[in-house]
Amino acid sequence: MISRHALALALLAAAAATPLATPSAAQTVAPPAAIVVDGAPAIPQELVAAAAPYLQARHANFLGWNTADRSMLIKTRFGGSDQVHVVAKPDGARRQISFENEPVLAAALSPKGDTLVIQKDKGGDEFYQLYVLEAGRPRLITDGKSRNWFGAWSPDGKRVGYASSRRNGADMDLYVVDPKDPKTDRLVAQVTGGGWNIADFSADGSKALVLNRMSVNEAMVYELDLASGKMKPLTDPKAKVSYVDPKYARDGSVWLTSNKDSDFQRLGKLDGKGGFVPVSKEPRWDVSDFAVSPDGSFAVYAINEAGVSRVRVLDLATGAVRPVTGLPAGVIPYSIGAAIDIAPWGEIGLSMASAKVPGDAFSIDPKTLAVTQWTHSETGGLDPSLNVEPKLVEVASFDGEKISGFLYQPDPAKFPGKRPLIVDIHGGPEGQTRPDFLGGNNYLLNELGIALFFPNVRGSTGYGARFVNLDNGPFKREDSVKDIGAFLDTLEKDPALDASRFAVNGVSYGGYMCYASATHYSPRLKGANCYVAISNFVTFLENTQAYRRDLRRVEYGDERDPKQRAQLMKISPLTSVDKITTPLLVATGGTDPRVPPTEADQMIKAVRANGGSVWHVLAKNEGHVFRKKENEDYYFWTSVMFWRKTLLGQ
């Protein structure tokens, strides 16, 4: 008798090897109610069945400790979206406590563990609201209309500080509220700009640390008097350097990370005179996350070493640094709030994900550095230890600049000969591809034999301030597109790859890079899958939400300046649409506040008018990327169909 596991593997292999026939209506899957499909084929049931295990992987993102009972708060998905769960002990049951249709973006327990505030939006519109979660139901504490962003709890658990755009839709003013009594909501400071928030409260609750983030390269730290609303700068406004995540220590000192006098973010303290005193000693790589123990005896921090999170424990009395070696060699996932949290009893909490770990919560004993895994997230019945590990590829670009990326290659025993390749470009643009869990992309590797390459072009974070500035403004923007050309030059020489079957994929800014690659390198590409993508920088800047427009002008250029506007138009993919000869798959969020749906509409219209081929998937109830599982899955299936046709000739 054949086991169910063996039968599933046989079906997967057969589905990957069998060319697609045109399925009947009874053999296809209807799109979800909010999905509008234009030009793409119906999804066959056999693909849904074959890919199912790869789309069932869960993750557990650590959200913090509950000081009342020493349990752990995590975010994971058992239904259609991420919700908040409690884990009472290592390997304990994940007890769900929020039950929303919309995903919960962030959640933060009060210091006493008696009040939970969550942050979520509607349909991906990113007009986030704050709620108190009571008996599984959210009670609104913000205005219900504007964009609101959680900041911090006061030490006594009686107030929450947050930022809101409610005054004019553009400036993120600073507010304080008692979550148990929304009538106490109070505007503390009126500001100009979209990058402000309250970062921490002082021990007595009379003051707060405020961060104003103007760009990835520049931020200011202030101390806010909560009674008067007056702010005084704690950092030098002329320095134009980055500061991240300021926090008060027990003795009142301010800890944070900064690249002041360095190419990289270092952990340190403010000296009270506008200066920064570094404490971490690593000569290279950014400190990405940190926490200082409540008793002030130690700090824990992670460095981003070529994409891998390396955790260190620092004794604040002696300066001794000890590496934590028991964690997976992976990545601490991005978190709204504390990615690392130290409980009052000293235990360190965090999450890790890697090629072989879908994302799980861990704790560290600060004395012994022993690591305890609290969750073991499911991977759809598949063995994650069999997943492919990436290899680092480093090349010299057109100007000699060193760039790198991660290459995942299929098993050569299962897929002999030269294999097709997808170049998958991250967004941001100040993002970074790191060796994380691939989720559904493992289906492409393991069942279709498609290699994957994730580049970090110039402008990516993680490689120093100099590197992240190399693409700033409209006149340097296409240098990052030339980096893709340099990667193609190198990868085409790899004997395991088939240079006649290369394609590109990208999301958000990576979607712009996807379109731009299609305009520059169409003869070298079999297809381009461009997801919530910028097609015209001028129309994008004019139509993106007001609260983020100035932040994007710092990076891309200012469309109000005639010279910059002309250059932005010149480099926009829509301007060179006649050069796109490779097929496109375009995915759009109907409520996307960052890259409006019109960016896709105008590109699709222009490509088709030029005789080009476009498949389009629109999710009317999603914003900037799809977060509801039914929509995510449908877009994934459509992507697989696209790659089967363009790369595998099926």
Side-chain angles (χ1 to χ4, degrees), residues 264-297:
F264 293 94
Q265 291 287 128
R266 296 180 290 177
L267 175 62
K269 299 188 289 183
L270 298 182
D271 64 4
K273 302 176 183 178
F276 172 75
V277 180
V279 175
S280 60
K281 304 299 183 183
E282 287 80 7
R284 195 180 181 200
W285 308 119
D286 287 336
V287 172
S288 58
D289 306 282
F290 79 95
V292 179
S293 65
D295 65 4
S297 65

Short mmCIF file of all heavy atoms in Angstrom, two decimals, residues 264-297:
data_model
loop_
_atom_site.label_atom_id
_atom_site.label_comp_id
_atom_site.label_asym_id
_atom_site.label_seq_id
_atom_site.Cartn_x
_atom_site.Cartn_y
_atom_site.Cartn_z
N PHE A 264 28.22 52.21 9.01
CA PHE A 264 27.22 51.24 9.45
C PHE A 264 26.52 51.71 10.73
O PHE A 264 27.04 52.54 11.48
CB PHE A 264 27.87 49.88 9.69
CG PHE A 264 28.39 49.23 8.43
CD1 PHE A 264 29.70 49.39 8.04
CD2 PHE A 264 27.54 48.47 7.64
CE1 PHE A 264 30.17 48.80 6.87
CE2 PHE A 264 28.00 47.88 6.47
CZ PHE A 264 29.31 48.05 6.09
N GLN A 265 25.33 51.13 10.96
CA GLN A 265 24.58 51.41 12.17
C GLN A 265 25.25 50.69 13.35
O GLN A 265 25.42 49.47 13.31
CB GLN A 265 23.14 50.91 12.04
CG GLN A 265 22.28 51.68 11.07
CD GLN A 265 21.87 53.04 11.57
OE1 GLN A 265 22.06 54.05 10.90
NE2 GLN A 265 21.33 53.09 12.76
N ARG A 266 25.61 51.45 14.39
CA ARG A 266 26.20 50.88 15.58
C ARG A 266 25.28 51.11 16.78
O ARG A 266 24.52 52.06 16.81
CB ARG A 266 27.57 51.51 15.86
CG ARG A 266 28.60 51.23 14.78
CD ARG A 266 29.96 51.87 15.11
NE ARG A 266 29.90 53.33 15.01
CZ ARG A 266 30.92 54.14 15.29
NH1 ARG A 266 32.07 53.62 15.71
NH2 ARG A 266 30.80 55.45 15.18
N LEU A 267 25.37 50.24 17.76
CA LEU A 267 24.61 50.41 18.99
C LEU A 267 25.38 51.34 19.91
O LEU A 267 26.60 51.21 20.07
CB LEU A 267 24.41 49.05 19.66
CG LEU A 267 23.73 49.06 21.04
CD1 LEU A 267 22.31 49.61 20.95
CD2 LEU A 267 23.74 47.66 21.65
N GLY A 268 24.66 52.29 20.52
CA GLY A 268 25.33 53.19 21.43
C GLY A 268 24.35 54.05 22.21
O GLY A 268 23.15 53.77 22.25
N LYS A 269 24.89 55.12 22.83
CA LYS A 269 24.10 56.02 23.66
C LYS A 269 24.34 57.47 23.24
O LYS A 269 25.40 57.81 22.72
CB LYS A 269 24.48 55.84 25.13
CG LYS A 269 24.24 54.46 25.68
CD LYS A 269 24.47 54.40 27.19
CE LYS A 269 25.92 54.53 27.57
NZ LYS A 269 26.12 54.39 29.02
N LEU A 270 23.34 58.30 23.51
CA LEU A 270 23.53 59.73 23.35
C LEU A 270 24.31 60.27 24.55
O LEU A 270 24.11 59.82 25.68
CB LEU A 270 22.18 60.43 23.22
CG LEU A 270 21.33 60.04 22.01
CD1 LEU A 270 20.03 60.85 22.00
CD2 LEU A 270 22.08 60.24 20.71
N ASP A 271 25.17 61.26 24.28
CA ASP A 271 26.01 61.77 25.36
C ASP A 271 25.43 62.99 26.07
O ASP A 271 26.06 63.56 26.96
CB ASP A 271 27.41 62.10 24.83
CG ASP A 271 27.40 63.24 23.81
OD1 ASP A 271 26.32 63.81 23.55
OD2 ASP A 271 28.48 63.53 23.26
N GLY A 272 24.21 63.40 25.69
CA GLY A 272 23.59 64.55 26.31
C GLY A 272 24.01 65.87 25.72
O GLY A 272 23.50 66.93 26.10
N LYS A 273 24.93 65.86 24.78
CA LYS A 273 25.42 67.08 24.15
C LYS A 273 25.22 67.05 22.64
O LYS A 273 25.89 67.76 21.90
CB LYS A 273 26.90 67.27 24.47
CG LYS A 273 27.21 67.33 25.96
CD LYS A 273 28.72 67.43 26.20
CE LYS A 273 29.03 67.42 27.69
NZ LYS A 273 30.51 67.47 27.92
N GLY A 274 24.33 66.20 22.18
CA GLY A 274 24.09 66.06 20.75
C GLY A 274 24.98 65.05 20.08
O GLY A 274 24.89 64.85 18.87
N GLY A 275 25.84 64.39 20.86
CA GLY A 275 26.76 63.41 20.30
C GLY A 275 26.30 61.98 20.54
O GLY A 275 25.34 61.72 21.28
N PHE A 276 27.01 61.06 19.92
CA PHE A 276 26.68 59.63 19.99
C PHE A 276 27.93 58.87 20.41
O PHE A 276 29.01 59.06 19.84
CB PHE A 276 26.20 59.15 18.62
CG PHE A 276 26.01 57.67 18.50
CD1 PHE A 276 24.93 57.04 19.07
CD2 PHE A 276 26.93 56.89 17.79
CE1 PHE A 276 24.74 55.66 18.94
CE2 PHE A 276 26.76 55.53 17.65
CZ PHE A 276 25.66 54.91 18.24
N VAL A 277 27.78 58.01 21.42
CA VAL A 277 28.90 57.20 21.92
C VAL A 277 28.63 55.74 21.55
O VAL A 277 27.75 55.10 22.14
CB VAL A 277 29.06 57.34 23.44
CG1 VAL A 277 30.23 56.50 23.93
CG2 VAL A 277 29.23 58.80 23.84
N PRO A 278 29.36 55.19 20.56
CA PRO A 278 29.11 53.79 20.18
C PRO A 278 29.55 52.83 21.27
O PRO A 278 30.54 53.06 21.96
CB PRO A 278 29.95 53.63 18.91
CG PRO A 278 31.02 54.65 19.02
CD PRO A 278 30.43 55.81 19.76
N VAL A 279 28.79 51.75 21.39
CA VAL A 279 29.11 50.71 22.36
C VAL A 279 29.45 49.40 21.65
O VAL A 279 30.37 48.69 22.07
CB VAL A 279 27.93 50.50 23.33
CG1 VAL A 279 28.20 49.32 24.27
CG2 VAL A 279 27.67 51.77 24.14
N SER A 280 28.74 49.06 20.59
CA SER A 280 29.10 47.84 19.85
C SER A 280 30.41 48.07 19.11
O SER A 280 30.71 49.18 18.66
CB SER A 280 27.98 47.48 18.87
OG SER A 280 27.76 48.51 17.93
N LYS A 281 31.19 47.02 18.96
CA LYS A 281 32.56 47.15 18.45
C LYS A 281 32.77 46.52 17.07
O LYS A 281 33.87 46.60 16.53
CB LYS A 281 33.53 46.49 19.43
CG LYS A 281 33.46 47.04 20.85
CD LYS A 281 33.79 48.52 20.92
CE LYS A 281 33.77 49.02 22.36
NZ LYS A 281 34.02 50.49 22.43
N GLU A 282 31.74 45.88 16.50
CA GLU A 282 31.94 45.23 15.21
C GLU A 282 32.33 46.27 14.16
O GLU A 282 31.65 47.30 14.02
CB GLU A 282 30.67 44.51 14.77
CG GLU A 282 30.38 43.23 15.55
CD GLU A 282 29.76 43.47 16.90
OE1 GLU A 282 29.41 44.64 17.19
OE2 GLU A 282 29.62 42.53 17.69
N PRO A 283 33.41 46.05 13.41
CA PRO A 283 33.86 47.04 12.43
C PRO A 283 32.99 47.12 11.19
O PRO A 283 33.04 48.10 10.45
CB PRO A 283 35.27 46.56 12.08
CG PRO A 283 35.24 45.08 12.30
CD PRO A 283 34.32 44.87 13.48
N ARG A 284 32.18 46.08 10.94
CA ARG A 284 31.36 46.05 9.75
C ARG A 284 29.99 45.48 10.07
O ARG A 284 29.83 44.79 11.08
CB ARG A 284 32.04 45.21 8.66
CG ARG A 284 31.44 45.41 7.27
CD ARG A 284 32.14 44.56 6.23
NE ARG A 284 31.55 44.80 4.90
CZ ARG A 284 31.65 43.98 3.88
NH1 ARG A 284 32.32 42.85 4.01
NH2 ARG A 284 31.09 44.27 2.72
N TRP A 285 29.01 45.79 9.25
CA TRP A 285 27.63 45.35 9.31
C TRP A 285 26.81 46.18 10.29
O TRP A 285 27.28 46.65 11.31
CB TRP A 285 27.51 43.86 9.66
CG TRP A 285 28.34 42.97 8.80
CD1 TRP A 285 29.35 42.15 9.21
CD2 TRP A 285 28.25 42.80 7.37
NE1 TRP A 285 29.90 41.46 8.14
CE2 TRP A 285 29.25 41.86 6.99
CE3 TRP A 285 27.44 43.35 6.38
CZ2 TRP A 285 29.43 41.46 5.68
CZ3 TRP A 285 27.63 42.96 5.07
CH2 TRP A 285 28.62 42.02 4.74
N ASP A 286 25.54 46.34 9.91
CA ASP A 286 24.60 47.12 10.72
C ASP A 286 24.15 46.36 11.95
O ASP A 286 23.92 45.14 11.89
CB ASP A 286 23.35 47.46 9.90
CG ASP A 286 23.59 48.51 8.84
OD1 ASP A 286 24.54 49.30 8.99
OD2 ASP A 286 22.81 48.54 7.86
N VAL A 287 23.95 47.07 13.06
CA VAL A 287 23.17 46.54 14.17
C VAL A 287 21.71 46.76 13.79
O VAL A 287 21.26 47.89 13.63
CB VAL A 287 23.50 47.26 15.49
CG1 VAL A 287 22.54 46.81 16.59
CG2 VAL A 287 24.94 46.96 15.91
N SER A 288 20.98 45.67 13.62
CA SER A 288 19.62 45.76 13.09
C SER A 288 18.56 45.82 14.16
O SER A 288 17.50 46.43 13.96
CB SER A 288 19.35 44.55 12.18
OG SER A 288 19.52 43.34 12.89
N ASP A 289 18.79 45.19 15.30
CA ASP A 289 17.81 45.13 16.39
C ASP A 289 18.55 45.09 17.71
O ASP A 289 19.67 44.56 17.79
CB ASP A 289 16.93 43.88 16.26
CG ASP A 289 16.25 43.77 14.91
OD1 ASP A 289 15.26 44.47 14.68
OD2 ASP A 289 16.74 42.98 14.07
N PHE A 290 17.92 45.63 18.77
CA PHE A 290 18.56 45.57 20.09
C PHE A 290 17.53 45.75 21.18
O PHE A 290 16.40 46.19 20.95
CB PHE A 290 19.65 46.65 20.22
CG PHE A 290 19.12 48.02 20.52
CD1 PHE A 290 19.06 48.49 21.82
CD2 PHE A 290 18.67 48.86 19.50
CE1 PHE A 290 18.55 49.77 22.11
CE2 PHE A 290 18.17 50.12 19.77
CZ PHE A 290 18.11 50.58 21.09
N ALA A 291 17.93 45.42 22.41
CA ALA A 291 17.14 45.70 23.60
C ALA A 291 18.10 45.80 24.78
O ALA A 291 19.16 45.16 24.79
CB ALA A 291 16.11 44.60 23.85
N VAL A 292 17.73 46.61 25.76
CA VAL A 292 18.50 46.77 27.00
C VAL A 292 17.67 46.17 28.12
O VAL A 292 16.46 46.43 28.22
CB VAL A 292 18.82 48.24 27.28
CG1 VAL A 292 19.60 48.39 28.59
CG2 VAL A 292 19.61 48.85 26.13
N SER A 293 18.28 45.37 28.97
CA SER A 293 17.55 44.68 30.03
C SER A 293 16.94 45.68 31.00
O SER A 293 17.51 46.75 31.26
CB SER A 293 18.45 43.71 30.77
OG SER A 293 19.47 44.40 31.47
N PRO A 294 15.78 45.37 31.57
CA PRO A 294 15.13 46.29 32.52
C PRO A 294 16.00 46.63 33.71
O PRO A 294 15.89 47.74 34.25
CB PRO A 294 13.88 45.52 32.94
CG PRO A 294 13.57 44.62 31.78
CD PRO A 294 14.91 44.21 31.25
N ASP A 295 16.87 45.72 34.15
CA ASP A 295 17.73 46.02 35.30
C ASP A 295 19.03 46.71 34.90
O ASP A 295 19.85 47.05 35.76
CB ASP A 295 18.04 44.74 36.09
CG ASP A 295 18.88 43.73 35.30
OD1 ASP A 295 19.30 44.03 34.16
OD2 ASP A 295 19.11 42.62 35.84
N GLY A 296 19.23 46.93 33.61
CA GLY A 296 20.39 47.66 33.14
C GLY A 296 21.70 46.89 33.18
O GLY A 296 22.77 47.48 33.02
N SER A 297 21.63 45.57 33.33
CA SER A 297 22.87 44.80 33.46
C SER A 297 23.43 44.35 32.12
O SER A 297 24.64 44.11 32.00
CB SER A 297 22.63 43.58 34.34
OG SER A 297 21.70 42.68 33.74
#
